[in-house]
């Protein structure tokens, strides 16, 4: 975006004057809901347990009777897919549900079915409720929770609930049997009563209760489905298991471990398995000879991976495809097991899928500057992945350049920032090979900001990618960003990405527009997107 004569700022959020933004409790809350921390650092290492002591802003807002505001943000991050992971939102909801304020507590329970849409989410909610009980000296199995759980089960579609309770039976030390028993759920209709009896009493009790009985159509469908689930649980016949999978679209979680030793069982599962799961399991499927060179299963898989319809339906991100491809290429799993030889046709299909999946990246419509520093080792690996820092930087730059119309890619060189062109037909390998040709000792994160100011570019988001964790500054990043805001009138932010995952932030600043990303994963794209849209 070129600068015009006007310098009117287009930001109105938390402005403290002069282009510097105060970090409010609400901003910290949104950070927490996005990536589980109130700090200005998103680290791919920190995906562990959430702790009460890390929720200072959330607790402050609740003390100030701002529960309605908190719950609005919880629902927004949970429902819109904005969060890197859902656990922080579930934890925050559990905390709201234990708040002394009656209105906050009631609203939290009312939001349960919106935030916890799957059994795994529900079990996490109860787990956090129990953990918070130890800190807050309050019980959890009150009337409000029992009613909320009863509503969660009663308001489900019967067939969807039957599938859910047979796929995810228990987690986090809790089971459906526990929740139905402790909530004293009274089923609202016959089909839900049938599922409740199945969970709490077992299949034999269900058979006795419904034999020689005229059942409603919904009940008959649920009965038939549960009968199939029970049948597959007790079958040791490979052909029968395959037939049941194909006819009733059963999923892996509904099978016995020994069923997964059969090649044909995996072949049947592959036909309906979510594409996200398929690309993550390529190594295991190849190692287990489910996918063999030239086989019909391999051809089917390659066709599906490259299908624009399948890619669009799965909403799979190109970076997910890339991470899965590099894991598959290395030929072995964690600690060397299992081992496999990557199939060239599968690799070709994954390469095609990478470029096709760019259509799934929804642009935010902002002006980006992506600055790449390769002063570290280009062959170094992004921790937690199998991708080199050079390839990761090239991929990130390419994804932003091809999905955001107003993107400028720059590379640090010995003399100055050099514009780097990513053409429409350039491959990722070509982009990576070109990037590593640039040598530089400069790692000054303020140089791209100076470049934009000097070239009269009104930049919304600066993204700096480096494989050298030691940042250098000739000027303050905060002051440089402040100057660019004043000059351009843009709502400018700065994201510094340390691809090596050392985890060193610029320092906890009081400017809401600065963030550090340590390492890089799919979640990092969500963080950048949320910051660009003023959501965190």
């Amino acid at each position: 975006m070129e600068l015009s004569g006007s310098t009117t700022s287009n930001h109105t959020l938390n402005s403290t004057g002069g282009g510097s933004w105060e970090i409010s409790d609400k901003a910290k809350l949104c950070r927490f809901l996005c990536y589980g921390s109130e700090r200005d650092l998103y680290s791919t290492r920190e995906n562990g347990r959430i702790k009460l002591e890390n929720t200072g802003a959330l607790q402050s807002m609740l003390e100030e009777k701002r529960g309605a505001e908190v719950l609005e943000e919880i629902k927004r991050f949970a429902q819109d897919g904005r969060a890197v992971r859902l656990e922080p939102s579930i934890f925050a909801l559990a905390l709201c549900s234990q708040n002394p304020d009656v209105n906050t507590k009631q609203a939290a329970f009312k939001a349960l079915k919106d935030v916890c849409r799957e059994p795994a989410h529900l079990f996490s909610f109860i787990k956090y409720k129990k953990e918070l009980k130890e800190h807050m000296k309050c019980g959890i199995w009150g009337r409000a929770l029992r009613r909320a759980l009863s509503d969660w089960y009663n308001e489900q579609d019967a067939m969807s609930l039957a599938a859910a309770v047979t796929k995810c039976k228990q987690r986090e030390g809790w089971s459906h049997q526990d929740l139905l028993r402790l909530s004293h759920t009274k089923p609202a209709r016959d089909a839900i009563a049938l599922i409740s009896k199945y969970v709490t009493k077992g299949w034999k009790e269900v058979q006795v209760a419904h034999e020689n009985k005229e059942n409603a159509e919904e009940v008959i469908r649920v009965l038939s489905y549960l009968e199939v689930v029970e049948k597959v649980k007790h079958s040791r016949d490979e052909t029968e298991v395959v037939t049941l999978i194909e006819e009733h679209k059963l999923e892996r979680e509904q099978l016995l471990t020994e069923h997964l030793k059969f090649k044909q069982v995996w072949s049947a599962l592959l036909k309906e398995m979510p594409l996200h799961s398929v690309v993550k399991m390529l190594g295991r499927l190849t190692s287990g000879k489910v996918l063999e060179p030239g086989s019909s299963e391999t051809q089917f898989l390659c066709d599906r991976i490259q299908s624009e319809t399948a890619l669009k339906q799965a909403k799979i991100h190109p970076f997910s495809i890339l991470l899965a491809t590099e894991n598959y290429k290395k030929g072995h799993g964690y600690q060397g097991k299992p081992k496999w030889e990557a199939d060239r046709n599968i690799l070709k299909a994954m390469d095609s899928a990478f470029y096709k999946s760019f259509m799934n990246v929804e642009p935010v419509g902002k002006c980006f500057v992506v600055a790449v520093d390769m002063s570290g080792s280009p062959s170094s690996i992004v921790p937690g992945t199998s991708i080199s820092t050079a390839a990761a930087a090239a991929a990130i730059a390419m994804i932003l350049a091809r999905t955001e119309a107003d993107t400028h890619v720059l590379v640090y060189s010995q003399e100055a920032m050099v514009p780097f062109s990513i053409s429409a037909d350039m491959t990722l390998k070509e982009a990576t090979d070109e990037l590593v040709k640039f040598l530089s000792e400069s790692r000054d994160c303020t140089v791209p900001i100076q470049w934009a100011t000097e070239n009269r570019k009104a930049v919304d988001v600066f993204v700096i990618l480096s494989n050298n964790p030691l940042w250098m500054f000739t000027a303050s990043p905060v002051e440089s960003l402040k100057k660019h805001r004043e000059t351009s009138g843009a709502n400018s932010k700065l994201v510094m990405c340390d691809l090596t995952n050392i985890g060193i932030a610029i320092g906890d600043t009081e400017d809401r527009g600065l963030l550090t990303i340590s390492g890089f994963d799919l979640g990092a794209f969500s963080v950048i997107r949320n910051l660009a849209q003023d959501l965190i």
Side-chain angles (χ1 to χ4, degrees):
M1 183 188 299
E2 298 287 346
L3 295 186
S4 64
S6 170
T7 58
T8 302
S9 175
N10 67 347
H11 75 77
T12 57
L13 299 173
N14 299 319
S15 179
T16 58
S20 181
W21 300 340
E22 171 186 323
I23 305 175
S24 65
D25 279 345
K26 186 172 181 179
K28 291 180 181 179
L29 167 69
C30 291
R31 284 179 181 176
F32 174 76
L33 296 176
C34 178
Y35 53 85
S37 171
E38 295 181 351
R39 294 184 59 204
D40 58 358
L41 169 66
Y42 168 63
S43 174
T44 57
R45 288 178 177 178
E46 295 177 7
N47 282 328
R49 296 182 70 81
I50 298 167
K51 298 178 181 178
L52 186 64
E53 52 263 36
N54 295 333
T55 59
L58 168 58
Q59 293 183 66
S60 293
M61 290 181 72
L62 292 177
E63 288 171 7
E64 294 167 6
K65 307 296 183 184
R66 296 167 67 187
E69 199 176 344
V70 171
L71 286 162
E72 182 182 347
E73 293 302 329
I74 290 173
K75 288 190 287 185
R76 189 184 312 189
F77 273 86
Q79 293 174 333
D80 293 350
R82 293 174 179 173
V84 172
R85 56 195 182 109
L86 198 57
E87 289 297 300
S89 293
I90 297 173
F91 182 92
L93 185 69
L95 190 58
C96 288
S97 76
Q98 311 234 137
N99 191 263
D101 181 69
V102 175
N103 291 332
T104 298
K105 183 182 294 187
Q106 289 177 345
F109 284 124
K110 187 177 179 181
L112 180 64
K113 56 183 178 295
D114 297 321
V115 177
C116 301
R117 296 183 296 277
E118 300 175 8
H121 304 157
L122 194 63
F123 294 141
S124 289
F125 176 76
I126 299 299
K127 175 193 73 172
Y128 289 133
K129 290 276 290 179
K130 184 179 179 182
E131 289 177 359
L132 289 168
K133 174 189 174 184
E134 306 302 322
H135 290 276
M136 307 178 82
K137 308 299 180 184
C138 58
I140 68 170
W141 290 106
R143 184 183 302 171
L145 176 59
R146 295 200 303 270
R147 186 187 304 117
L149 288 175
S150 295
D151 290 345
W152 191 93
Y153 284 102
N154 279 322
E155 293 175 13
Q156 299 281 342
D157 169 76
M159 287 300 293
S160 297
L161 183 61
V165 301
T166 54
K167 284 190 291 185
C168 181
K169 299 177 183 178
Q170 58 184 18
R171 195 162 296 181
E172 308 290 357
W174 296 92
S175 67
H176 290 290
Q177 186 176 33
D178 295 329
L179 301 194
L180 287 167
R181 178 175 55 82
L182 291 167
S183 65
H184 307 302
T185 296
K186 295 180 179 179
R189 57 190 195 275
D190 291 344
I192 302 299
L194 162 60
I195 296 168
S196 177
K197 185 178 284 291
Y198 174 75
V199 168
T200 57
K201 302 293 185 180
W203 176 240
K204 288 185 178 179
E205 289 280 348
V206 169
Q207 286 179 305
V208 171
H210 289 272
E211 64 180 353
N212 302 321
K213 183 178 178 182
E214 188 173 339
N215 297 304
E217 184 179 344
E218 185 182 43
V219 172
I220 292 171
R221 288 201 305 272
V222 173
L223 268 173
S224 299
Y225 183 80
L226 294 177
E227 184 177 13
V228 168
V229 172
E230 286 296 309
K231 190 172 184 179
V232 81
K233 276 169 53 177
H234 295 89
S235 177
R236 301 296 183 272
D237 185 284
E238 180 180 0
T239 304
E240 182 181 41
V241 172
V242 168
T243 301
L244 291 171
I245 291 170
E246 292 178 339
E247 289 183 356
H248 302 279
K249 293 182 169 45
L250 298 182
E251 299 184 35
R252 181 171 46 133
E253 295 82 359
Q254 294 167 307
L255 305 182
L256 300 177
T257 303
E258 60 188 83
H259 292 155
L260 302 179
K261 297 175 183 177
F262 299 133
K263 175 182 174 179
Q264 291 306 314
V265 167
W266 279 106
S267 297
L269 288 171
L270 271 178
K271 295 175 183 177
E272 299 290 339
M273 187 181 291
L275 201 55
H276 285 91
S277 301
V278 171
V279 298
K280 290 178 181 179
M281 297 185 65
L282 291 174
R284 177 176 177 178
L285 295 169
T286 303
S287 173
K289 306 299 181 184
V290 177
L291 300 174
E292 295 187 283
S295 69
S296 59
E297 288 85 2
T298 299
Q299 185 59 54
F300 170 82
L301 182 67
C302 289
D303 291 343
R304 187 179 174 205
I305 287 173
Q306 298 177 86
S307 165
E308 289 190 10
T309 302
L311 288 168
K312 185 175 289 187
Q313 185 177 11
K315 297 180 181 178
I316 196 164
H317 195 282
F319 204 69
S320 287
I321 296 283
L322 180 61
L323 292 175
T325 301
E326 295 303 313
N327 279 335
Y328 183 60
K329 274 183 186 176
K330 72 180 181 180
H332 61 82
Y334 179 67
Q335 294 186 336
K337 294 180 180 179
K339 293 183 178 181
W340 61 84
E341 184 175 345
D343 184 280
R344 61 183 180 86
N345 288 323
I346 293 176
L347 288 174
K348 185 177 179 181
M350 290 289 282
D351 187 62
S352 173
F354 171 73
Y355 299 105
K356 288 180 179 179
S357 61
F358 277 59
M359 64 182 174
N360 291 331
V361 182
E362 185 179 351
V364 296
K366 302 291 184 180
C367 177
F368 283 82
V369 161
V370 182
V372 183
D373 159 47
M374 286 288 106
S375 58
S377 170
S379 61
S380 58
I381 302 298
V382 178
T385 77
S386 301
I387 187 173
S388 71
T389 53
I396 297 161
M398 179 177 283
I399 290 168
L400 287 172
R402 290 189 181 175
T403 58
E404 297 293 344
D406 196 2
T407 296
H408 308 272
V409 180
L410 308 173
V411 183
Y412 284 81
S413 73
Q414 293 286 16
E415 292 81 21
M417 299 304 302
V418 178
F420 184 79
S421 176
I422 298 179
S423 61
D425 59 349
M426 180 179 275
T427 66
L428 180 59
K429 184 180 184 307
E430 290 169 343
T432 305
D433 291 345
E434 286 299 311
L435 271 182
V436 298
K437 292 178 182 178
F438 291 87
L439 299 175
S440 173
E441 293 181 0
S442 173
R443 298 179 296 283
D444 188 342
C445 69
T446 64
V447 175
I449 304 174
Q450 295 167 11
W451 175 90
T453 304
E454 291 167 3
N455 286 275
R456 297 180 60 79
K457 304 289 184 184
V459 179
D460 295 305
V461 186
F462 294 92
V463 179
I464 302 179
L465 307 169
S466 177
N467 62 359
N468 192 325
L470 301 176
W471 299 109
M472 297 167 56
F473 314 113
T474 55
S476 162
V478 176
E479 291 304 314
S480 296
L481 197 61
K482 175 181 175 180
K483 180 181 177 181
H484 183 74
R485 288 173 183 155
E486 292 174 340
T487 304
S488 67
N491 185 6
S492 304
K493 292 119 181 161
L494 171 63
V495 183
M496 298 174 59
C497 302
D498 166 24
L499 300 175
T500 61
N501 202 347
I502 299 301
I504 302 174
I506 302 173
D508 288 329
T509 72
E510 290 304 314
D511 191 308
R512 195 177 54 81
L514 274 75
L515 278 179
T516 299
I517 293 177
S518 182
F520 208 92
D521 58 8
L522 184 59
F525 279 101
S526 295
V527 174
I528 293 172
R529 181 181 183 84
N530 283 328
L531 185 67
Q533 294 179 306
D534 293 312
L535 298 175
I536 60 174

